[in-house]
Every structure is written in C-alpha cells, then in structure tokens.
C-alpha cells in the first residue's frame, strides 16, 4: 500500500485526472517526430537510417531521464517535478524551430525527449493516492495517456499542412507550457509528502537498494517489448504505411492512430484485469497474442510458382491494408494489457521506491523505443525488406515468452513442493549447489582436499569468458583499418575516435563492474556480463554493412563495445576470491593473460573471416574495396562481429551452470567504498595505468598508427602478434612477482618500456628517411611484452599491500576477520585500478591522433609516454621497492 491513510475518492480522482491529462500532452510531444520527421527528411535530405535516428533520439532522453526523475520524484514529490519537466520540455520544443542542420536537430531532439521522462513522475504521483487493490486500474488509466501518440497522428498532419513543421512545433510548445503552469496550480501534494520529509536523510544507496533484486530486471525485459515496441511502432507506422501502401501523410497518420489508440486506452482494461485475475496471467495473454501478430506482420509479400501438370500455377501472398489495420489493432490491444500488467507489480512490491524501481523499468522500456526505430531503419537499408521491423519484434517477443514460460514452470514446481503460492518467480535464483557457504583457501587442508579443484574449475570457465570480452572490446581496432578502403568517408581523427571510444566506455564501466561481484555473485555476474556482449556484436554486424550508416551510430556502437572492457574488472575481482595469497599472482596472471589473448585472437581471426562469406546469405552481402591495389575485392566486415555470437552464447551458459558464488564474498557497495580513502589504491591506479593502459592502448592504436606511418605495409597481418606477446607474458609477470617481488619486477619493467619508446622513436619515418617498419614493429613487441609482465607483477602487489595494511590495522584483534576484509578490499581495488587503467586504451590512440593534428607526427605523444613511465618508476621505488618502503611487496 502506498499510504496508510486512504485519501478521499474526490482527491483520488482529481489527482488521477490531472496527471493523466498532463501525461497525454507530454506523450503527444514525445512522438512529434513521427509526423514532422517526414517533412524534415525532405527538407534536410535525410537517409532512412538518419530519419530513424532522429525519431529515436527523444526516446533515448526520455528513457534515461526516467531513472533520475524517478529518484527525484521519490525525494521531493511528483507535483513539482512534473511541472518542471513540462516547462523545460516546452522550451526545448520551441528551440527546435531554430534548427538549421541535422546535428542541431539531434541536439534539440534530446531536449524534446524529456517529455517521455514524465511517465515515471506521473506513476509515482498517481500510485501514492491509491490503495493496492485499485492501483492497477489507476495506473492503467494514467498509462492510457499513451493516447497522446494518437493525438499527434491525428492532429499533427493537419497542423503540418497548415503551419509547416516550425509552426506545428510552436503550437505544441505553447500547449505544454500552459499545462505545466496549470498542473502546478491545480495539483495537490500527494499523501506521501509528510513521509518523504521523515525519510529525507535516506541515502541514494538506500534508495537504489531494490535494484539489486533480479525481479526488477525481469519486469524491465517485459516492458522493453510491450512499451518499447509500442513506442517504436507509433513512430514508425506512418512512414511504413506511406512507403508500403502508398498512402498520403494525413491518411497514414489516421490509420496509425488505430494502432496507438487501443495500445493506449485499453491499458485501463489491462490494469483492471491485473487487479482481478493477476498480472502473470495477463502477461501470458499479451506475449502469446503478440507472437502470433508479429509473425503474421513479418511475412513479406511473396510470389509463388507451382509447377503444375498443365503448366505453372502462380499466386501471391501479401497482407492487404484492411487486414494490416486489423492485425496491428489486435497487437496494440494486447500490448496495452501488458504495459498495465508490468506496472501493477511495482507499487505492491516497492511502495516506497516506486520512482527508483519504476524509473529503471521505464528506462529499459524506453530504451527499446530508442533502439528499435534506429534498428528498423538500418534493417531497411541492409536487408531491403519493409517487414523486417516486424521480424525483429517477433524475435524479441518470442524470446520473452520462452523465458517467461520457463520461469513460471520453475515457480510452479517450487509451489507444488512447498504447498504455497509464490509471489515472485525464482528464475534467477542461485541453485544451492552453486553457492559455496564456507571458503577458506588459506587453510592448507581445505585447499588440497576441496578448494583447489573448485578454484581451478571457476578459473578455466572464467578465462574464455574474459577472452571473448577482450575480443569484442577491441573489434574496432581492425574495423577502422578496413573501413576507409570500403567507402566509409571518415577522417583520420574520426577513425582514432572509433578505435578509442570502446576503451573510454569500458574503463568507465569497470568502475561499476569492479563492485558487482560482491553484490550479485561472481557466477551470476560473469554469465550476465558475457551475454551482454551479444548486443554490440549483432548491431555492428548489421550497421557495418552500409557505408551510409551515420557516424553517430558508429560512435554509439563503439561505446557499446565497452561492455567487453568492463568485464575484466569483475572477472579479476571474482577470481581473486578463490585463491590463497601465495597463488593469487599466478591465478590472476592466467585469468588476465589468457583473457587478454582475446585481443590477438580477434586481430588474427577477424582478417580471416572478413575475407570470405563464411556465414553465407545469413550474414548479408559484402562490400567492395574502392581504393588501393585490391580495389574490386569483396570484404564481409560484419563477419568480424558475427563470428563471436555463438561463442558468447556457449560461454555465458557455461558460466551460469559451471561457476560458483561464494557466500562469504558478499558485501555492499558501502563496505567496499572504503578503498577510496586508501592512498595505496590511488597509487596502484597510477602504476596500473602505466601497465595495462599501455597494453590496451597500444593494441587499440597500433594497427591504425602503423598503417599511417608505413602506408606500404598491411598492418592487419601483423597486428595480432603484439597483443599475443603481451597476453602470454602476463602469467610470466605473475610468476616472477611471486618469486622476486611484484615491486621489483614492476620497477624494472617500466625501465624497459622507456627504452622501448626510445626505440620506436628511432625507427619512425622522418625528414631523414622513410623509417624502418620492422624495427618499429620489433620495438612495439618489446613494449607489449614488457606491459604484459608488468600487468602480472602489478596485480600481484595489490593483495600483499592490502593484507599488510589490514593486518596492521587489526593489531592483536581478529586476524581471521582482517583476512576476509583484506580479500574484499583487494578484490575491489583490483577491479577499480583496472577501470582507471583501461582509460589508457582511450588516451593512447587519441594522443596519436591529437599529436598528428597538432604537429604532423606522433613523436610528441611518444615523448609524453616516456615522462609518464619515469614517474611510475619513481613512485614504485619510493613506496614499494626501496629498502625502507612503507609496504615492500
């Protein structure tokens, strides 16, 4: 129940009515590009993919903002937040009329998207007024504000014809601004206002605590289809109807409304049915009906010829316009039921966190509305089939239905066994056999009898998962070398950006991933993070087939490859829990070193698979080489992404069923956040930036750099050797550190890296000659080998430093507890320093590009590396390797 005192019905209806009206107008604004986008396409000469991106951009802002607006609504109340959102959105819509280029259109569209974020504000505000038995119906009525999309489809075409797209936007801005003022004046503070004041000291971490429950993410999956699919089709249908059935813009808008109206108004019925029959049953109806409808809609017009006895018999299968309207009406009806069913759960399970939990669920659903229109346009460009949008929806809903049915059957088996009805589905619960309750690797008897076997099994499943993560993370290092030859018109600096951005996003994700293992469990997080690699691989495989794909899309895809970079932090933190101190160096070295082989594996395998159509027609057509001595040859760049898809599926399944979660390794973010107060944490960040940052930065930038410095050499043939050497020497670094001390190995490794940079400088092309590629390449091999050794030795230093530090703090106290604390802090530090170090994969390629732009060569960037390595040597010597160092290791 949202509140202990039930408000008067008059107050309830007042709040419901004003919030529903406000959301209806916000939704109308949110989908404005579905109509004016068609005129913008003509005026600005946009491609199908550019139009899809423009339509999807407001959905992106509306989706992401839901998370933050939900938290804000929980803190200060929906009345003020709702009014503010409407006024800000109105200002952005008005500013849209001043756009004079495609870039400025995209920027303005980001602001327009705030209208979509109003949904979660209204959910938090409305739910607070109603008791649980009526919340489903109330939120169903509020959610019917989706009918705002129909208002746009009905009214915007006529405004467009009368006033033009600028006049239409100005009308929308004026109406929404008036509604923002009216809402602030008429709406009242919700019944939770007093309680919010008593909870004002609740931290953000406490507010976000429910997000660690997998139930939240299951709700998000369903909403990705029922809401994301609805928004995507609301944006796409007018364009689809005009192109497929030859309708004019006004007629297409009216017919599209026949989909959006039931998909909005029947949400009320969905809320009532969820209250009466249960949300689980309603979700079954929704997904089954959606599978049937999307299958029918995805069948393209086809001509058949049968070789008959008396001659050929021909016939045609195609969906007529009336049948199309009926099927989309049915689809919209059931999607509306599903939207209500999803949000029925949230205020019941999380009455005090409706904003935060609903914000996440709404954000994921909204991201579906962003990703799908964008993908619709790319599928049209690549496949050339208009029905491809419905094919994609069919795949999504079929997968959701399969997972949901499996989950419910699992729940039913538990219900039968325990003779009780479950309120939640345990599809993501950890089987007891995969949880280790007691783990004592420092106990020699335990380690030899049981621990060693379990640790090795987890290590050898972790390694291929990390291998694939590195493969996906560095995929752009090969793509950027080949793209210019295939007709992608990007500058050198733009190509360096594509090579560098995965490292930027991967490094940022590592900061969060480094804390995930103690919160979620190593087995679970390894499987999920590996499965997430499917998104960039599948999307790149489609986008890279079209040279007209906008550069902005390529930037997004490069950022998504950062999922692979983030995995390293959680993988290393997880493995560190399994091994005793004396064997951590070798274990972490094997995990990281063989995992790092993913870079060389990708750089070796990718050039082979792109040279032929290894997947046949399934992967699409190749692109012709347009420049150079190989002009006319065909390359299948998409194979560099598609080749990892089956391996990712296998590895994720193996992690889910073959690895373990250690119960003692559980801790909250707050427990781990103590590392930010440790000076040694920041020192090790600096040192590991010099080691791993160099490895991943050299791997990302070497192919493109060597191709630019030595145009007569194909660097793709040799690029894999550097990462291979670096990966193979990493275990050597760990073993040497176990024997000689991590600080000593790290110190001398930095010295070798300085010599390697000096060698690279000596072999570069210059005024005196064309340089020497083989000397240049040999020096880079030295750098890769040294960075690999240093990666292993630096990681070995961390557990020793923090064990000594925590034991010293414990004094004569509980040594066992200090040992556990040291393990947890060491794991967090290992993840965090790997996050900071991964930024080297961004800075090194970008420093090449910047140095070339400013000075015409890369010497300036290389000299800066020497200065940095010298600072690392000094830091290592002073704190860790000299005779009287604070923590010799």
């Amino acid at each position: 129940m949202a509140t202990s005192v039930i408000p008067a019905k008059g107050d309830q209806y007042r709040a419901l009515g004003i919030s529903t009206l406000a959301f209806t107008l916000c939704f109308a604004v949110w989908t404005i590009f579905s109509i004016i986008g068609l005129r913008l396409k003509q005026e600005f000469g946009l491609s199908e993919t550019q139009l899809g991106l423009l339509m999807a951009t407001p959905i992106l802002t509306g989706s992401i903002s839901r998370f933050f607006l939900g938290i804000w609504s929980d803190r200060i109340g929906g009345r003020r937040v709702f009014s503010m959102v409407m006024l800000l959105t109105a200002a952005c819509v008005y500013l849209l009329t001043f756009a004079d280029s495609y870039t400025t259109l995209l920027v303005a569209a980001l602001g327009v998207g705030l209208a979509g974020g109003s949904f979660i504000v209204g959910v938090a505000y409305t739910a607070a007024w109603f008791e649980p038995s009526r919340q489903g119906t109330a939120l169903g009525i509020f959610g019917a504000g989706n009918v705002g999309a129909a208002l746009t489809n009905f009214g915007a075409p006529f405004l467009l014809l009368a006033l033009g797209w600028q006049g239409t936007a100005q009308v929308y801005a004026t109406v929404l601004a008036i509604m923002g003022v009216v809402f602030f004046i008429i709406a009242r503070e919700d019944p939770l206002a007093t309680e919010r004041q008593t909870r004002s000291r609740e931290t953000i971490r406490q507010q976000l605590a429910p997000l660690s429950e997998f139930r939240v993410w299951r709700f998000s999956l369903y909403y990705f289809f029922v809401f994301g699919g609805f928004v995507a089709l609301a944006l796409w249908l007018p364009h689809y109807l005009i192109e497929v059935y030859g309708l004019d813009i006004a007629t297409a808008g009216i017919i599209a409304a026949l989909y959006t109206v039931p998909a909005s108004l029947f949400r009320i019925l969905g809320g009532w049915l969820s209250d009466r029959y249960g949300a689980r049953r309603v979700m079954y109806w929704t997904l089954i009906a959606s599978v049937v409808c999307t299958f029918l809609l995805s069948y393209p017009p086809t001509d058949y010829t049968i070789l008959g006895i008396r001659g050929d018999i021909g016939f045609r299968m195609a969906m007529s316009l009336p049948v199309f309207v009926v099927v989309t009406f049915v689809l919209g009806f059931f999607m509306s039921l599903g939207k209500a069913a999803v949000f029925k759960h949230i205020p019941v399970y999380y009455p005090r966190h409706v904003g935060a939990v609903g914000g996440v669920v709404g954000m994921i659903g909204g991201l579906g509305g962003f990703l799908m229109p964008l993908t619709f346009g790319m599928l049209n460009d690549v496949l050339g089939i208009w029905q491809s949008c419905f094919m994609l929806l069919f795949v999504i809903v079929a997968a959701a239905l399969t997972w949901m049915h499996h989950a419910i059957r699992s729940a039913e088996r538990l219900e039968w066994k325990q003779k009780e009805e479950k309120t939640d589905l345990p599809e993501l619960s950890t089987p007891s056999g995969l949880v280790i309750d007691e783990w004592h690797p420092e106990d020699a008897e335990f380690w030899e009898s049981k621990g060693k076997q379990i640790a090795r099994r987890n290590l050898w499943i972790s390694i291929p998962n990390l291998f694939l993560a590195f493969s996906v993370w560095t995929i752009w290092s090969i793509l950027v070398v080949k793209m210019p030859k295939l007709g992608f018109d990007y500058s050198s600096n733009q190509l360096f950006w594509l090579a560098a951005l995965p490292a930027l996003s991967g490094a940022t994700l590592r900061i969060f991933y480094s804390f995930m293992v103690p919160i979620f469990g190593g087995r679970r997080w390894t499987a999920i993070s590996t499965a997430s690699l499917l998104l960039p691989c599948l999307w790149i495989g489609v986008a890279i087939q079209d040279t007209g794909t906008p550069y902005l899309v390529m930037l997004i895809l490069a950022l998504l490859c950062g999922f692979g970079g983030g995995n390293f932090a959680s993988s290393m933190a997880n493995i560190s829990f399994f091994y005793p101190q004396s064997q951590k160096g070798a274990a972490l070295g094997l995990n990281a070193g063989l995992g790092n082989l993913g870079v060389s594996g990708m750089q070796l395998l990718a050039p082979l698979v792109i040279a032929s159509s290894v997947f046949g027609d399934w992967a699409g057509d190749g692109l012709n080489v347009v420049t150079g001595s190989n002009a006319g040859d065909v390359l299948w760049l998409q194979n560099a992404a598609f080749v990892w898809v089956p391996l990712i599926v296998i590895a994720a399944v193996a992690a889910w069923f073959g690895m373990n979660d250690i119960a003692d390794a559980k801790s909250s973010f707050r427990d781990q956040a103590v590392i930010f107060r440790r000076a040694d944490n920041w020192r090790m960040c600096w040192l590991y930036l010099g080691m791993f940052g160099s490895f991943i930065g050299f791997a990302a930038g070497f192919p493109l750099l060597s191709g630019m410095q030595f145009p007569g050499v194909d660097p793709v043939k040799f690029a894999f050797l550097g990462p291979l050497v670096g990966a193979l020497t990493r275990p050597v670094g760990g073993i040497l550190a176990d024997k000689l001390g991590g600080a000593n190995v790290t110190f001398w490794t930095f010295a070798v890296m300085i010599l390697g940079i000096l060698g690279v400088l000596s072999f570069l092309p210059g005024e005196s000659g064309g340089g020497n590629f083989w000397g240049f390449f040999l020096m880079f091999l030295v750098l890769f080998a040294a960075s690999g050794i240093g990666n292993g030795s630096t990681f070995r230093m961390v557990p020793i430093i923090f064990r000594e530090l925590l034991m010293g703090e414990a004094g004569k106290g509980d040594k066992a507890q200090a040992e556990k604390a040291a393990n947890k802090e060491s794991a967090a530090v290992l993840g965090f320093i790997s996050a900071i170090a991964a930024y080297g994969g961004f800075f090194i390629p970008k420093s090449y590009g910047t140095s070339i732009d400013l000075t015409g060569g890369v010497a300036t960037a290389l000299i800066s590396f020497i200065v940095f390595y010298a600072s690392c040597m000094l830091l290592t010597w002073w704190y860790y390797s000299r005779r009287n160092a604070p923590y010799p290791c």
Side-chain angles (χ1 to χ4, degrees), residues 1-4 70-78 124-125 127-128 190-210 347 350-357:
M1 187 171 177
T3 178
S4 57
I71 295 173
W72 205 5
S73 298
D74 282 343
R75 283 185 169 267
I76 68 175
Y125 180 76
D190 63 71
L192 292 180
T194 303
E195 184 179 343
R196 272 195 302 273
Q197 294 177 358
T198 63
R199 294 191 291 121
S200 60
R201 286 182 290 180
E202 185 180 61
T203 65
I204 292 294
R205 186 182 67 84
Q206 292 170 324
Q207 199 171 359
L208 299 181
Y350 309 101
R352 297 182 178 181
H353 298 89
V354 173
V357 175

Side-chain angles (χ1 to χ4, degrees), residues 457-707:
R457 171 163 47 80
N458 280 268
L459 174 62
W460 290 108
I461 295 177
S462 173
I463 287 171
N465 280 269
L466 189 56
F467 178 96
L468 293 170
F470 271 91
S471 299
V472 175
W473 193 25
T474 54
I475 194 172
W476 286 94
S477 65
I478 292 297
L479 296 180
V480 294
V481 176
K482 297 296 185 182
M483 289 170 70
K485 300 177 181 180
L486 297 173
F488 290 89
D489 188 19
Y490 300 149
S491 68
S492 296
N493 203 32
Q494 286 178 312
L495 292 172
F496 274 119
W497 267 108
L498 290 177
L501 276 181
L504 179 64
S505 60
T508 305
L509 285 173
R510 282 187 178 192
I511 296 175
F512 301 99
Y513 278 39
S514 60
F515 300 102
M516 292 298 104
V517 169
I519 294 174
F520 291 101
R523 175 196 69 90
R524 186 181 293 167
W525 187 254
T526 300
I528 292 174
S529 59
T530 299
S532 71
L533 303 176
L534 291 171
L535 176 60
C537 284
L538 292 172
W539 198 357
I540 288 173
V542 174
I544 206 73
Q545 297 182 48
D546 182 14
T547 57
T549 299
Y551 182 67
L552 180 59
V553 174
M554 296 300 187
L555 291 177
I556 294 173
L557 293 174
L559 287 170
L560 288 176
C561 286
F563 286 163
N567 286 12
F568 180 82
S570 55
S571 178
M572 296 297 281
N574 181 45
I575 294 302
S576 72
F577 282 114
F578 283 93
Y579 281 84
Q581 291 289 342
S582 61
Q583 298 185 39
K584 283 185 187 290
L588 293 175
L590 283 171
N591 189 55
L594 298 182
N596 290 170
L597 279 175
V599 180
S600 56
M602 185 279 304
Q603 293 182 344
L604 173 62
L605 184 59
L608 299 177
V609 297
I610 68 176
S612 62
S613 181
V614 294
F615 299 110
D617 294 337
W618 289 93
D621 297 328
L623 295 174
N624 292 319
V625 177
V626 296
T627 62
S629 59
N630 295 323
D633 290 352
V634 180
L635 293 180
W636 288 262
L637 276 188
Q638 63 268 31
N639 291 350
F642 286 149
V643 70
W644 305 112
V645 171
L647 301 177
I648 290 170
V649 173
I650 294 171
V653 171
W656 186 263
F657 292 104
M659 296 183 72
N660 297 98
D661 293 321
I662 299 177
D664 287 345
K666 291 284 186 179
S667 65
S668 66
F669 173 79
R670 183 178 183 179
D671 295 334
Q672 301 174 79
V674 68
I675 67 169
F676 298 124
R677 299 195 299 269
R678 307 287 193 192
D680 291 282
N681 173 55
W682 300 104
R683 295 184 190 115
M684 295 309 298
C685 284
W686 190 256
L687 299 183
Y688 201 57
L689 176 63
M691 293 303 184
F692 181 80
S694 297
F695 169 81
I696 196 64
F698 293 151
F702 174 77
L704 190 57
L705 174 66
S706 56

Side-chain angles (χ1 to χ4, degrees), residues 704-750:
L704 190 57
L705 174 66
S706 56
M708 291 181 175
Q709 298 298 311
F710 301 95
V713 178
D714 184 2
V716 171
K717 296 179 180 179
F718 311 101
F720 75 94
L721 288 173
L724 176 64
V725 170
L728 292 178
T729 55
R730 180 160 188 156
V732 176
I735 295 171
L736 288 175
D738 285 338
K739 295 181 179 297
L740 304 177
N744 290 329
V745 176
T746 299
F747 176 85
W748 289 108
T749 299
F750 278 123

Side-chain angles (χ1 to χ4, degrees), residues 140-205:
I141 294 172
F142 169 77
N146 289 169
V147 76
L151 291 180
T152 291
N153 287 332
F154 272 124
F158 298 103
L159 289 174
L160 189 64
L161 295 174
L163 304 175
W165 71 268
Q166 291 96 337
T168 302
Q170 290 169 359
V171 170
Y172 272 59
T174 302
V175 172
L176 192 62
I178 293 173
M179 187 67 223
V181 175
V182 170
F183 188 90
F184 187 78
I185 295 173
I186 296 179
R188 298 176 180 175
E189 290 291 345
D190 63 71
L192 292 180
T194 303
E195 184 179 343
R196 272 195 302 273
Q197 294 177 358
T198 63
R199 294 191 291 121
S200 60
R201 286 182 290 180
E202 185 180 61
T203 65
I204 292 294
R205 186 182 67 84

Side-chain angles (χ1 to χ4, degrees), residues 24-37 145-160 168 172 234-235 238 249-250 252-254 256-257 260-261:
T24 300
L25 295 178
C26 284
F27 210 92
V29 171
W30 199 28
T31 56
I32 189 174
F33 283 101
S34 65
I35 298 299
I36 69 171
N146 289 169
V147 76
L151 291 180
T152 291
N153 287 332
F154 272 124
F158 298 103
L159 289 174
L160 189 64
T168 302
Y172 272 59
L235 292 169
I249 187 171
I254 292 172
T260 55
V261 169

Side-chain angles (χ1 to χ4, degrees), residues 36 41 71 100 229 249 252 266 311 313 357 417 461 565 643 665 709 747 758 853 876 887:
I36 69 171
K41 179 186 179 185
I71 295 173
D100 57 0
I249 187 171
F266 286 112
I313 302 173
V357 175
K417 181 179 179 180
I461 295 177
V643 70
Q709 298 298 311
F747 176 85
L758 291 172
D853 282 349
T876 304
Y887 295 105

